[in-house]
Amino acid sequence: MAVVVTAAESERDQALVAGALAAAGLTEGDRLALVAGSSPEYLAVALGALRCGVVPVLLHPGLTPTELDALLADAEPAAVLRGAEVEAFVHAAREAGATATLAPYPRTRPMLYTSGTTGTPKGVWTGLLSDDEAEALVLEERAAWGFEAADRHVVVSPLHHSAPMRFAGGVLLAGGSVVLPGPFDAATLVDAFVEHRPTNAFLVPAHLQRLLAHAEATGRRLPLESFRRVAHAGSACPEVLKRRALDAFPDGVLWEFYGSTEGQFTVCTPEEWTARPGTVGRARSGRTLTTDPDGTIWCRVPSHARFEYWRAPEKTALAWRDDAFSVFDIGTLDDDGYLFLDGRRDDLIITGGVNVYPLEVERILLAAPGVDDLAVFPLPDERWGDMVCAAVVGPITEADLDAWARERLAPHKRPKRYVRLDAIPITTMGKVRRTHLAAELGLV
């Protein structure tokens, strides 16, 4: 059953969390790792920490112990809350009753890890913001998405991802309410639409596809009339799916944006997409987009949107040119400034809106006994956007390789299909073209 969190309830708990963090000795700039599923308490801890200058490090609870330990060793948090410990921390704070003063706006952004093209996780670190920058960050997001006190935001994706936390937190800070229906299930989500009549949401294209498929399979009408602003991003949305979704939602409701864990680039209204199918929109307010001759996209941002890679100055230096950054996606800009993506980061697989980096998966699978060679690549899939696949050379059985993966990789990183080969195709330079591999193997 869906849980509703009001702004007043969350504000109360955030102040209690801030008091409990202070009592535990955490101060501005300290990291607090959260390894848990979505809940009202998760929101309270993350927002309460942000508003007293403690940086929540949001980690995927489905990571294996090996994956998680590596990230915790890098982040060096002052404290870690796992699973039920998040709720227990808030309950203890309520019992203690000691509050601390909250800043009107978050003093920083959550720290999240992104692997980029290297496959090596990097923490995206904002550092503490000035009062003016903190206010500007919140008000920019509020202006972009129209958050207001009358909003009821339904959380569709886990809160340990950047966009779901950004949207849910933005609504609460504007005085609205948040609906938490639990892990994604199309039928459960539709029930939440009926009961709570949400006004906004963030989804990835896979969610749109599953909602439409549920309606088609059951004959159930999607109750979407309460929505006034829905955003989607996370992976490329096929044109056929986009048109079906535009038809399903009320006019003017289904917006799109292009962004990354590092920062936001564009916003695209339904009308803009209809006029220019395939665009992801124009630069957000206060930003400027440019592209290099090879199509690499750069985004000039205001000071409140700057970031660095945690303890990786060389990677930070590569990502920035003065006040513009790139995550090295490739695209084109038309004469009116509308951006069209030609490709995501080299080799990046976006499956169900979640990033998977082939090199990271390959390193794990190549260590399995009986694997002589292996390449991970995307295969277009109606449900997932891209399916994670692996081409395998060697005597290992599919069952044994899958068991190896299950012990060492989070579910979204595990290949959903294995293709057995005598040799992995390579270029004359000895490289595997992962983004072309499905075509080379005749799978598309």
Side-chain angles (χ1 to χ4, degrees):
M1 185 175 180
V3 179
V4 178
V5 184
T6 68
E9 292 167 341
S10 186
E11 183 90 3
R12 176 203 66 203
D13 284 345
Q14 290 171 44
L16 291 166
V17 164
L21 291 174
L26 276 73
T27 60
E28 288 187 343
D30 283 343
R31 275 84 56 212
L32 169 66
L34 302 181
V35 192
S38 303
S39 67
E41 291 80 10
Y42 190 100
L43 277 169
V45 172
L47 291 172
L50 289 169
R51 293 176 70 182
C52 66
V54 173
V55 183
V57 183
L58 310 184
L59 299 176
H60 194 318
L63 294 175
T64 64
T66 299
E67 294 169 318
L68 188 59
D69 288 346
L71 298 183
L72 290 174
D74 183 69
E76 292 188 346
V80 182
L81 297 177
R82 305 170 188 254
E85 291 174 349
V86 172
E87 293 185 16
F89 184 84
V90 176
H91 293 166
R94 289 171 182 160
E95 291 181 3
T99 62
T101 301
L102 297 170
Y105 303 105
R107 300 290 315 285
T108 182
R109 291 193 294 169
M111 181 174 169
L112 297 105
Y113 277 85
T114 182
S115 294
T117 56
T118 65
T120 303
K122 304 187 296 290
V124 178
W125 173 259
T126 297
L128 293 176
L129 301 170
S130 69
D131 290 344
D132 288 345
E133 289 173 332
E135 180 179 15
L137 180 63
V138 169
L139 295 186
E140 180 199 343
E141 196 76 0
R142 192 173 297 175
W145 302 111
F147 298 145
E148 60 185 40
D151 274 331
R152 292 177 303 281
H153 176 82
V154 61
V155 175
V156 181
S157 298
L159 290 170
H160 60 261
H161 293 304
S162 58
M165 176 57 73
R166 195 170 77 249
F167 276 75
V171 169
L172 287 173
L173 290 170
S177 300
V178 168
V179 180
L180 296 164
F184 179 83
D185 173 79
T188 300
L189 191 58
V190 172
D191 288 342
F193 293 170
V194 172
E195 181 178 359
H196 298 287
R197 297 185 59 78
T199 60
N200 57 36
F202 164 77
L203 307 97
V204 300
H207 295 142
L208 295 171
Q209 190 275 330
R210 293 182 202 179
L211 282 171
L212 293 169
H214 171 75
E216 184 175 346
T218 62
R220 188 178 186 185
R221 184 186 68 84
L222 293 178
L224 306 175
E225 59 276 359
S226 64
F227 285 102
R228 64 176 186 81
R229 185 71 56 84
V230 171
H232 76 84
S235 63
C237 188
E239 184 171 334
V240 172
L241 174 59
K242 177 84 174 198
R243 293 189 184 279
R244 290 179 61 207
L246 285 170
D247 288 341
F249 280 91
D251 290 345
V253 165
L254 187 63
W255 291 41
E256 186 170 357
F257 70 88
Y258 160 59
S260 65
T261 301
E262 290 87 342
Q264 301 307 300
F265 292 72
T266 72
V267 171
C268 184
T269 69
E271 295 78 14
E272 288 173 318
W273 190 92
T274 301
R276 298 170 175 81
T279 186
V280 291
R282 290 194 288 188
R284 282 176 62 141
S285 177
R287 287 161 168 74
T288 303
L289 297 177
T290 59
T291 56
D292 285 347
D294 66 359
T296 301
I297 304 162
W298 292 85
C299 183
R300 191 176 303 277
V301 299
S303 63
H304 64 259
R306 290 192 65 89
F307 70 90
E308 61 186 69
Y309 291 119
W310 174 250
R311 294 177 175 171
E314 70 291 346
K315 294 177 182 177
T316 301
L318 287 173
W320 287 94
R321 288 180 186 166
D322 298 322
D323 56 357
F325 79 95
S326 180
V327 292
F328 302 101
D329 289 345
I330 305 299
T332 55
L333 288 166
D334 71 12
D335 292 341
D336 295 315
Y338 286 90
L339 179 64
F340 294 79
L341 295 178
D342 298 326
R344 302 289 291 190
R345 300 177 185 90
D346 289 346
D347 301 337
L348 174 65
I349 300 172
I350 304 178
T351 181
V354 180
N355 292 353
V356 175
Y357 299 89
L359 185 59
E360 180 186 7
V361 179
E362 288 171 5
R363 285 172 175 161
I364 297 296
L365 298 185
L366 282 166
V371 173
D372 297 331
D373 200 2
L374 182 139
V376 172
F377 62 98
L379 182 65
D381 180 78
E382 184 174 290
R383 179 179 181 186
W384 297 101
D386 277 328
M387 179 191 299
V388 179
C389 300
V392 185
V393 178
I396 191 170
T397 66
E398 182 174 326
D400 286 344
L401 186 53
D402 191 57
W404 180 275
R406 286 179 178 277
E407 291 180 5
R408 295 165 176 82
L409 290 167
H412 63 280
K413 299 179 185 178
R414 300 171 196 156
K416 294 181 172 60
R417 180 173 176 181
Y418 295 91
V419 179
R420 189 168 295 281
L421 301 176
D422 294 328
I424 304 293
I426 58 174
T427 68
T428 56
M429 294 292 290
K431 295 182 179 180
V432 178
R433 298 197 305 170
R434 296 181 184 87
T435 56
H436 296 268
L437 196 51
E440 292 180 24
L441 299 178
L443 300 176
V444 292

